[in-house]
Amino acid sequence: LRHFGMPGVDTLTDAVHKVGAIRQVASVANQLDKDRVISEIYGCTGWDWPLAKHKFHGDWEYALGINYRCQHLTHYTLAGLGKKDYPASISHHSPWWKYYSTVEDYFARLSYALSNGKADNDVLVLCPQESLMGYFDGLHRQDNGPVYFKAYEISNRWEAIIRQMTDNHILFDFGDEVLLDELATATEDGIRVGKMTYRTVVMLPCDTIRRSTLDLLDKAGVKLLVVEHYPCRVDGELSDEVIGYLAGRANTRLCDDTAQLLAALDNRVHICLDGAEATDVWCQLRQTGEEEYILFVAPNRFEAQGELTVTLTLPEGLHVYRLDCANGEVYPVSVAYADGLLTFSYMLEKQGSRLFLFTRDTLVTETPIVSAVPATGGETPEWFAYRLGEWNSRPLDVCTYRIGEAGFS
């Protein structure tokens, strides 16, 4: 990933998944100061996939660190096997094509905003990739015995922990041990990896760790949180010293489970629903100036809704604005400061998302007046006439028909 001009990932199906993969890609981009992180998105979602989900799936990936979409797909033709791919062609073949600018204008603004500044993440999660690969022999067979299942046990446990960290709005990057060996240095502020500096390190369940990583931890006085157990190998070789060293290291804590880990982490962003962390939304915080930040909040569940309370540790006296990526408008947000914390609330609508700007500058003082669109329609009658907006643009899933004056089927 470090050699890609635009690090990227491919996400398939309608599922909310690949959290670890997306965060790995975004972490490399953060550390190596790459402006764009790309996702091939929307593949294998179905011909009946609504535009609301085009927005929803882009939103949750952007909250994880993506800021550029490669949409799957546009057909050259619908002839032959081409029409068996999905979702529906994002082009003139689809009757909604002339309205698709609503989706694209939204993501154009959001992509620009989230490619500015740098991610404000101060937790480094050591990636247990070498432990996983040490057990995996490359044979995708479930009858491969305990070695096969050990590799997937590590992978699944890792994914579950970082999903809970993301659900609880912990701002973190992954630390790949290869990159740490080449790029990381110990500083007075913590561990510096490229353009990023981390003050807390989380060691996910793993069996082996590099000697270079232990040396880095020895030089840096960062808080180290070890999840579930200490590794038993160094550079793949069994070692009696590693457990004793880590257990005796100052500012180190062994967390028996994810609940203890979350309690030990200093959470700089809280997004709460009914007094508890709102696990149905994810967020990304970026610093775009000396005292300027943006926060993007998006749901990870399609039906999520409710009144959210956002609390952040930011400099006092900042103005807060909602940047509406759908229409380009800027709206002031009422906030409260107390004990060094900034707090405000807003209503999360279904498939809703919010982009907030925190700045010393005064942008607007009054809420813009938005013209209301009058409601139209009502109950659809059993029988009605319609006219095609364009040739062959009416999809019929189930129909009743008649030929001439014969009865309906």
Side-chain angles (χ1 to χ4, degrees):
L1 292 173
R2 66 179 299 182
H3 301 293
F4 290 6
M6 191 184 296
V9 66
D10 183 8
T11 54
L12 298 172
T13 78
D14 192 24
V16 178
H17 64 151
K18 288 194 175 181
V19 175
I22 295 174
R23 299 215 70 142
Q24 282 181 297
V25 171
S27 297
V28 172
N30 293 338
Q31 292 156 1
L32 299 183
D33 198 25
K34 296 179 182 288
D35 292 337
R36 293 290 188 176
V37 185
I38 190 171
S39 173
E40 183 178 356
I41 193 171
Y42 305 151
C44 302
T45 50
W47 273 84
D48 59 346
W49 215 52
L51 295 190
K53 288 202 170 182
H54 283 240
K55 177 182 182 298
F56 167 72
H57 275 260
D59 276 345
W60 68 257
E61 290 198 25
Y62 274 48
L64 296 179
I66 299 297
N67 59 23
Y68 201 87
R69 290 150 54 250
C70 173
Q71 301 94 322
H72 182 109
L73 81 166
T74 295
H75 293 286
Y76 287 108
T77 175
L78 296 186
L81 293 177
K83 59 174 165 256
K84 291 192 175 181
D85 207 340
Y86 42 79
S89 178
I90 306 176
S91 186
H92 64 279
H93 307 103
S94 297
W96 42 257
W97 169 242
K98 60 185 177 182
Y99 306 109
Y100 200 66
S101 61
T102 302
V103 177
E104 287 306 303
D105 289 349
Y106 167 83
F107 279 111
R109 297 183 180 103
L110 185 60
S111 294
Y112 173 77
L114 296 181
S115 63
N116 278 272
K118 70 171 188 175
D120 199 8
N121 303 338
D122 61 357
V123 175
L124 182 69
V125 177
L126 296 179
C127 183
Q129 194 73 28
E130 295 189 352
S131 293
L132 187 153
M133 297 307 297
Y135 287 107
F136 186 61
D137 65 0
L139 300 176
H140 276 280
R141 298 200 313 265
Q142 291 194 6
D143 60 351
N144 201 34
V147 170
Y148 173 94
F149 289 106
K150 181 66 175 178
Y152 275 82
E153 176 188 330
I154 294 173
S155 177
N156 293 338
R157 190 72 194 105
W158 157 33
E159 185 76 21
I161 294 171
I162 63 101
R163 173 66 187 253
Q164 290 184 66
M165 292 177 64
T166 304
D167 286 349
N168 284 272
H169 316 117
I170 305 298
L171 305 175
F172 71 90
D173 282 332
F174 275 114
D176 180 83
E177 288 191 272
V178 175
L179 286 182
L180 294 181
D181 191 10
E182 298 177 9
L183 301 176
T185 56
T187 69
E188 294 182 358
D189 296 328
I191 291 178
R192 184 175 181 84
V193 186
K195 297 293 184 180
M196 302 294 293
T197 299
Y198 307 97
R199 295 170 178 80
T200 301
V201 175
V202 174
M203 184 180 294
L204 296 178
C206 61
D207 288 352
T208 187
I209 190 171
R210 287 196 175 201
R211 172 69 64 184
S212 58
T213 304
L214 290 175
D215 292 342
L216 180 65
L217 292 171
D218 190 41
K219 296 174 184 177
V222 294
K223 179 196 293 186
L224 174 62
L225 302 174
V226 181
V227 184
E228 296 182 1
H229 64 81
Y230 296 108
C232 58
R233 298 173 181 267
V234 176
D235 293 330
E237 300 289 339
L238 285 171
S239 171
D240 295 330
E241 64 174 298
V242 61
I243 296 178
Y245 165 72
L246 290 174
R249 178 185 178 276
N251 207 13
T252 298
R253 175 179 173 181
L254 177 63
C255 302
D256 294 332
D257 52 33
T258 310
Q260 289 188 9
L261 170 66
L262 295 174
L265 287 165
D266 297 322
N267 202 350
R268 297 170 53 224
V269 177
H270 293 278
I271 305 174
C272 296
L273 175 67
D274 297 330
E277 291 291 338
T279 57
D280 282 345
V281 298
W282 292 337
C283 70
Q284 180 184 170
L285 179 67
R286 301 184 69 84
Q287 184 170 3
T288 54
E290 184 175 348
E291 286 189 313
E292 185 175 279
Y293 305 83
I294 55 174
L295 175 71
F296 179 60
V297 183
N300 58 62
R301 188 171 63 84
F302 191 65
E303 299 296 330
Q305 60 181 329
E307 186 174 0
L308 301 180
T309 299
V310 181
T311 304
L312 304 95
T313 304
L314 289 178
E316 189 168 347
L318 297 179
H319 301 292
V320 183
Y321 301 97
R322 176 168 70 89
L323 308 182
D324 193 328
C325 293
N327 59 22
E329 294 285 0
V330 178
Y331 303 88
V333 176
S334 297
V335 301
Y337 280 96
D339 301 323
L341 298 176
L342 180 154
T343 302
F344 61 93
S345 298
Y346 75 94
M347 181 60 67
L348 171 70
E349 305 93 358
K350 291 182 180 180
Q351 300 96 55
S353 57
R354 288 287 188 274
L355 181 65
F356 298 101
L357 171 66
F358 308 85
T359 180
R360 295 285 181 195
D361 298 333
T362 301
L363 302 184
V364 294
T365 57
E366 297 181 358
T367 302
I369 299 175
V370 179
S371 299
V373 178
T376 59
E379 292 188 8
T380 303
E382 183 177 359
W383 296 96
F384 61 93
Y386 68 92
R387 178 178 298 170
L388 293 177
E390 56 186 89
W391 179 79
N392 197 25
S393 65
R394 177 66 178 174
L396 295 176
D397 296 325
V398 179
C399 65
T400 297
Y401 67 92
R402 71 178 180 183
I403 299 176
E405 298 300 320
F408 283 98
S409 62

